[in-house]
Each structure stands twice: as C-alpha cells, then as structure tokens.
Amino acid sequence: MSGLINYISCGLLWLGLVVKAPDLIRHRRDPYLRAICAVLALAGLCFFLGAEPTVAAVNHLSGIPNLAAPLTYASITAYSAASQILIVYWRGGPHVHRTSRRWIAAYALVLLGIAVTFALGDAPVERRTDLDTYYATTPYIAEMIVLYLLGHLAAVSVTAWSALRWAREVRGRLRTGLLVLGAGTLCGAGYSLSKMAAVIARWCGRDWSGLGTTFSPAAAGLGAVLTVVGILIPLVGPRLAEWRQAQRDFVRLEPLERELDELLTRRALRLPRPRWASPTTRLVWRRTSIHNALGSLDAFLDRDLYERVLDGERRTAAAPGQAEATAWAVAITTAVREERDRDSPLVAPSTAEGLGEPPTAGALVAVADALAASPLVVTARLRPGTTTTGPA
C-alpha cells in the first residue's frame, strides 16, 4: 500500500511538471521557472525512489544490496536545496544569483559526501525500510546517514523560516502559499528530526526504528505535498480566478446568444461547440458566435433607434455603460425581428444606417444583462414598427 501511495504522489507531482513543461520550454532561461520544475521533478523522484518496490528493483538490478538508499538520500537532499533556491528566486533581490549559487555549491558537496561515504562503507545486508537504524553504527554508512539528515534539516529549517517570515510582509494568495509552504517544510523538518532521534537511540542501545519506518515517511509525504501546494497556490490562483470569471461571463452571455439563436442556426454562423474545453475556450466560442451574428445583422441595426434609446436612458439617470447596453439590446432585438420578417433578408431597411463596430467583449455581457432585464427589450420584441417610431 505504501508503494501505491508513493507512486500516486509521484504521478501527481510529475503531472504538475508536465503542465509546466511548455512554459519551461518557452522560457528556458527563467531561473524561477527552472526552480519550480526542479522542485516538482525532485519531489516526485523522492516518492518514486522511496517506494519499497523501487528500492527492491534498484538493489536487484544493480547487484548492490542497498544502492537505493544513497540514491533516495541524494534525491531528498536535492529536493530540499531546490525548495530553498525557489524561495530565493521567488522573493528576489539584488543577490539572488549569488545566493542560489552558494546553495547549489553547498549541496553539491553534500551529494558528493553521500556518494563517497556509501562507497567507503560496507552494507551487505539489504534493508528496504529501516536502513538508517540498522546501519546507524556502521562506519561510513553512519556518516552518510547523518550527513543527509543534517543537510535536509538545514535546508527545510531555513526554507520554513524564510517562508514564514516573508508571509508576515505580504497578503493574498502569496501569503497563503507561503504559509502552506512553511507548514510543509516544518513537516519535512519532522522527518529529519524523527529519523535522527531513531539513529541517536540506536547509538544509545535502544530500538526506536518505528520512528523511521512509520512517522518519518508520513511526515515526509505530507511535507512534500504541502510544500508543492504552497508553491502552486500563487501560480494556479490567478488561473482559477480567470476561469471563474470566464464561466460567469459565459453564463451571463446566454440570453444574448439565445436572442440570436435562430439567425445563427439559419445562416450556419455558429462554430462547432468545443468539447472538454476550459471555461475560457467556451467563452471565446460563445463570443465568436455572437460577433458572427452581429456582423450578419449589421445592415438591420438602426442607428436612429439606438440614439433615441440611448438618450432616453441617459435622461433617466442610468449609468453611461448601462444606457449603452440597453440601447444595444433594443437595437439588436429589433434588428433580429426585422431581419426575420423581411421577404429578402439581404436587403436592409431604408431607415437603418448600421452601427459599425459591435460592442466590445466586455460590453457584450452588459448587453446580455439588459436583454434579460430591460422592459424596453420586451417592448421591442412585441411592438411592431419599433424600428421607425422607437420605444415609448
């Protein structure tokens, strides 16, 4: 079961990496984007290498009983450093490149130390889940374990301190993301501390291996998930807000599209509806259909009627945008009826001058609202001759 959870976590993290990959390809020189992708990739790698089936496969294929251990330790160390480097680039400042290079150099030495101590040590008995406590007193292997635990603890402690201190200075999604990231790195510190406690207990002749096999993996998994979620909140938040706004606009435009539906169908002006599309794509589809209909209807849009309604609405103290929306709504409703009732739809009524450019994308929503709410629109639908006499 733990292997399955590890693989699911890895898949979700690498799915986030796949989503960010196009941005990385387009902006490959952006260090901030590279750091985000590195955190996602390394967090997923930690889960993948830490899964017991992976540990068994690496040890078996390599012929080295515990090779999976230094590989896992190296991925955890690299992930910890990447998280701190991301915070450095996230916050910015005059010395970000120099600070990040120092972190990279320091943790490159830690990675080198892990490799050297494992090569010098002797760990002939395969231990898939409790290597830390089993070899806690073995020369060089013990040093490797302590090195990676201290390196991990230092990175997550600095990251937590930086994130939580910065969270006090900002607001909104960034603050939420930093708080979640800080909580995640504190969980990561719990992983190192519990592992270290189990190792120290082994030095003292006690058996606390349960800390390393139960509590530590849970703390590591929760910490990695919270850290990545904290990183993604400020990035995904604006996109979600954009999608919510697009969905609201899509729904509000429905009365206007419904008003134009018969014309769109008869003249085959509506594009095929996109399937499994984002709210933004569906909004563009509806706007395009509406603009196609208004373009076809332009010769029937009566400028005199539009001006009369606009003046009347302004005299009733309607806001300028609302007055224009109502005028457009009445003109469109009347033009739809005029176009439908004429024997030859291609011949414009003699009194119509057209209105030129249709409403902007943002103004279309207000026009749709007016179509649904304005009594003048109801009058325009029911009263014959509105195009010549105008609304009462």
Side-chain angles (χ1 to χ4, degrees):
M1 180 61 72
S2 62
L4 178 61
I5 293 174
N6 274 40
Y7 292 139
I8 292 174
S9 302
C10 172
L12 292 174
L13 290 165
W14 283 352
L15 178 61
L17 178 62
V18 170
V19 171
K20 295 301 296 181
D23 293 336
L24 180 63
I25 294 173
R26 288 193 297 268
H27 309 286
R28 60 178 61 90
R29 296 185 181 276
D30 185 347
Y32 174 58
L33 191 55
R34 289 204 301 264
I36 291 175
C37 292
V39 169
L40 292 171
L42 291 170
L45 185 62
C46 292
F47 281 110
F48 180 76
L49 291 177
E52 189 172 342
T54 304
V55 172
V58 170
N59 293 338
H60 174 72
L61 293 174
S62 66
I64 302 173
N66 291 293
L67 179 62
L71 294 180
T72 303
Y73 298 164
S75 67
I76 292 173
T77 301
Y79 162 70
S80 306
S83 299
Q84 175 57 26
I85 292 170
L86 176 60
I87 287 289
V88 171
Y89 279 115
W90 200 354
R91 185 159 194 178
H95 306 299
V96 289
H97 297 295
R98 184 172 64 187
T99 303
S100 64
R101 283 194 296 267
R102 288 176 177 175
W103 275 97
I104 292 172
Y107 275 84
L109 292 176
V110 175
L111 293 174
L112 178 62
I114 290 173
V116 170
T117 51
F118 179 77
L120 293 174
D122 184 24
V125 179
E126 183 185 35
R127 308 300 297 186
R128 298 182 183 178
T129 59
D130 63 345
L131 183 140
D132 307 79
T133 51
Y134 188 86
Y135 287 107
T137 58
T138 302
Y140 296 111
I141 302 298
E143 283 78 1
M144 177 191 70
I145 294 168
V146 172
L147 180 61
Y148 104 85
L149 287 176
L150 290 179
H152 179 263
L153 180 60
V156 294
S157 298
V158 173
T159 302
W161 179 77
S162 301
L164 295 176
R165 186 184 65 169
W166 187 16
R168 298 171 61 185
E169 304 172 9
V170 295
R171 293 291 182 271
R173 295 188 186 94
L174 178 56
R175 185 172 189 268
T176 302
L178 289 169
L179 291 174
V180 174
L181 187 149
T185 49
L186 288 176
C187 289
Y191 166 84
S192 298
L193 291 172
S194 59
K195 284 274 190 180
M196 186 64 74
V199 169
I200 293 173
R202 180 72 174 83
W203 293 345
C204 298
R206 299 177 181 274
D207 182 12
W208 290 3
S209 58
L211 279 176
T213 57
T214 56
F215 179 81
S216 293
L222 179 60
V225 170
L226 288 177
T227 299
V228 173
V229 169
I231 291 169
L232 294 179
I233 284 175
L235 300 176
V236 176
R239 178 67 61 85
L240 292 178
E242 177 186 340
W243 282 1
R244 285 197 299 269
Q245 184 60 50
Q247 180 62 28
R248 285 195 292 265
D249 289 349
F250 177 82
V251 172
R252 290 174 65 186
L253 283 174
E254 196 273 336
L256 180 53
E257 186 190 16
R258 187 171 63 245
E259 185 72 27
L260 300 168
D261 180 70
E262 192 270 340
L263 174 65
L264 286 166
T265 302
R266 176 160 43 84
R267 296 199 176 187
L269 297 173
R270 184 186 281 109
L271 299 176
R273 184 175 184 130
R275 295 182 178 181
W276 308 104
S278 69
T280 303
T281 301
R282 291 190 290 119
L283 176 61
V284 171
W285 168 80
R286 179 161 279 179
R287 283 175 176 168
T288 301
S289 298
I290 291 171
H291 277 290
N292 288 346
L294 293 180
S296 177
L297 202 61
D298 181 64
F300 296 90
L301 292 170
D302 192 334
R303 178 173 294 278
D304 290 340
L305 171 63
Y306 174 86
E307 296 292 346
R308 289 197 303 273
V309 175
L310 182 63
D311 291 342
E313 286 295 289
R314 285 174 174 170
R315 285 196 298 269
T316 61
Q322 182 181 348
E324 292 172 6
T326 302
W328 267 108
V330 172
I332 290 170
T333 300
T334 305
V336 166
R337 191 196 62 213
E338 184 77 20
E339 189 273 345
R340 184 179 61 243
D341 292 345
R342 291 183 63 83
D343 294 333
S344 177
L346 299 179
V347 178
S350 58
T351 57
E353 300 178 12
L355 291 176
E357 289 296 321
T360 63
L364 282 177
V365 174
V367 174
D369 290 342
L371 270 169
S374 175
L376 293 179
V377 173
V378 177
T379 303
R381 288 196 184 107
L382 298 178
R383 181 195 304 173
T386 304
T387 53
T388 58
T389 62

